[in-house]
């Protein structure tokens, strides 16, 4: 499996603020969107395109145009924070939704919502900021493949070695693009050092101390 850790000073600058526990949800959302833009540019580096002739005001020349369709699949809830960046870069993108929630005791994901377009021939991006045990990403990729997708990229913000290993075993054909590979998982399957519960920080639902 190929894994790309985006090595760019802007990505590092945005990530350190996402990690900062004092960053409030308003700012967290903006940072997520900007960092996703950087990640998606990397994840789409090998997006297929075909030649296209174009008439400039002066003459005809050759260019390239993207091969459609593109499909983005944010994993609810936290993946929603990454969607705006994709829609702004690729306004014609189709969007499928997968709702997955980890059980707090077993860390196993359960699916509570799924709405995917037909994905045969699609170029698909699965968006989930946290790749922890990898259970949610593996389940999401199972669903996206069942819907017909073959060309798939997994885009995450922070990954744990455990999650990468799980993906390598279950979906070795899916390249992963991430901003960081952190040290390990905690006993509660949180990424260390990580940035906490992404969904809670994005939507302001963190429990009070
Ligand atoms: C978080 C995160 C991933 C999942 C990663 O979602 O957004 O989907 O955990 O963990 P895993 O790799 O161990 O499966 P969570 O279940 O907390 O739901 P939320 O996005 O609704 O907060
Ligand atoms: N989900 C999160 O939001 N954060 C983690 O560290 C692990 C799973």
């Amino acid at each position: 499996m190929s894994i790309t850790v985006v090595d760019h000073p802007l990505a590092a600058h945005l990530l350190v603020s996402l990690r900062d526990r004092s960053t409030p949800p308003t700012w967290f959302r903006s940072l997520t969107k900007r960092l996703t833009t950087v990640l998606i540019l990397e994840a789409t580096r090998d997006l297929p395109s075909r030649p296209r002739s174009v008439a400039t005001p002066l003459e005809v020349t050759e260019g390239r145009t993207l091969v459609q369709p593109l499909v983005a699949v944010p994993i609810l809830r936290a993946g929603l924070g990454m969607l705006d960046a994709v829609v702004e870069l690729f306004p014609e993108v189709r969007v499928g939704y997968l709702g997955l929630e980890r059980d707090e005791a077993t860390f196993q994901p359960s699916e509570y919502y799924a709405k995917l377009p037909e994905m045969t021939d699609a170029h698909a991006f699965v968006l989930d900021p946290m790749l922890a045990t990898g259970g949610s990403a593996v389940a999401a990729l199972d669903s996206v493949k069942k819907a017909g997708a073959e060309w798939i990229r997994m885009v995450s913000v922070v990954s744990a070695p455990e999650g990468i290993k799980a993906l390598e075993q279950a979906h070795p054909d899916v390249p992963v693009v991430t901003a960081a590979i952190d040290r390990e998982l905690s006993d509660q399957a949180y990424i260390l050092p990580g940035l906490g519960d992404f969904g809670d920080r994005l939507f302001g639902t963190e429990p009070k101390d």
Side-chain angles (χ1 to χ4, degrees):
M1 185 185 77
S2 104
I3 174 136
T4 304
V5 181
V6 171
D7 180 17
H8 193 289
L10 177 59
H13 171 82
L14 298 169
L15 179 61
V16 78
S17 292
L18 278 174
R19 290 192 193 275
D20 186 340
R21 64 185 299 169
S22 68
T23 298
T26 41
W27 188 231
F28 195 90
R29 286 174 201 148
S30 155
L31 292 163
T32 299
K33 182 174 171 184
R34 291 159 65 199
L35 181 53
T36 303
T37 302
V38 181
L39 295 172
I40 287 291
L41 285 176
E42 181 59 39
T44 51
R45 190 179 280 285
D46 59 347
L47 200 56
S49 62
R50 56 180 165 73
R52 183 196 146 188
S53 294
V54 64
T56 78
L58 300 174
E59 61 182 39
V60 173
T61 187
E62 295 302 316
R64 299 196 69 81
T65 189
L66 293 174
V67 175
Q68 303 293 342
L70 302 178
V71 178
V73 181
I75 302 182
L76 310 182
R77 289 177 300 168
L80 279 180
M82 303 173 76
L83 182 61
D84 277 1
V86 180
V87 173
E88 275 188 15
L89 285 171
F90 302 101
E92 67 288 344
V93 71
R94 297 178 190 171
V95 182
Y97 292 91
L98 284 175
L100 295 172
E101 191 167 30
R102 275 199 333 179
D103 182 279
E104 281 181 15
T106 66
F107 316 128
Q108 293 304 306
S110 59
E111 187 178 281
Y112 58 87
Y113 185 76
K115 192 82 163 179
L116 296 177
E118 166 58 41
M119 293 177 80
T120 313
D121 299 329
H123 300 100
F125 301 90
V126 176
L127 311 173
D128 192 345
M130 303 307 272
L131 183 57
T133 66
S136 304
V138 168
L141 292 171
D142 288 344
S143 299
V144 163
K145 284 184 178 176
K146 215 189 251 176
E150 289 178 4
W151 193 105
I152 310 169
R153 300 291 180 264
M154 179 79 216
V155 186
S156 90
V157 172
V158 178
S159 302
E162 293 88 337
I164 292 168
K165 200 166 162 201
L167 270 188
E168 239 163 22
Q169 280 167 3
H171 296 289
D173 55 313
V174 177
V176 177
V177 174
T178 188
I181 301 177
D182 275 9
R183 193 177 67 245
E184 60 184 346
L185 293 182
S186 72
D187 292 345
Q188 292 307 306
Y190 274 86
I191 301 175
L192 298 173
L195 49 73
D197 187 305
F198 201 101
D200 280 347
R201 296 198 60 197
L202 186 71
F203 293 113
T205 52
E206 285 174 294
K208 290 213 162 61
D209 290 332

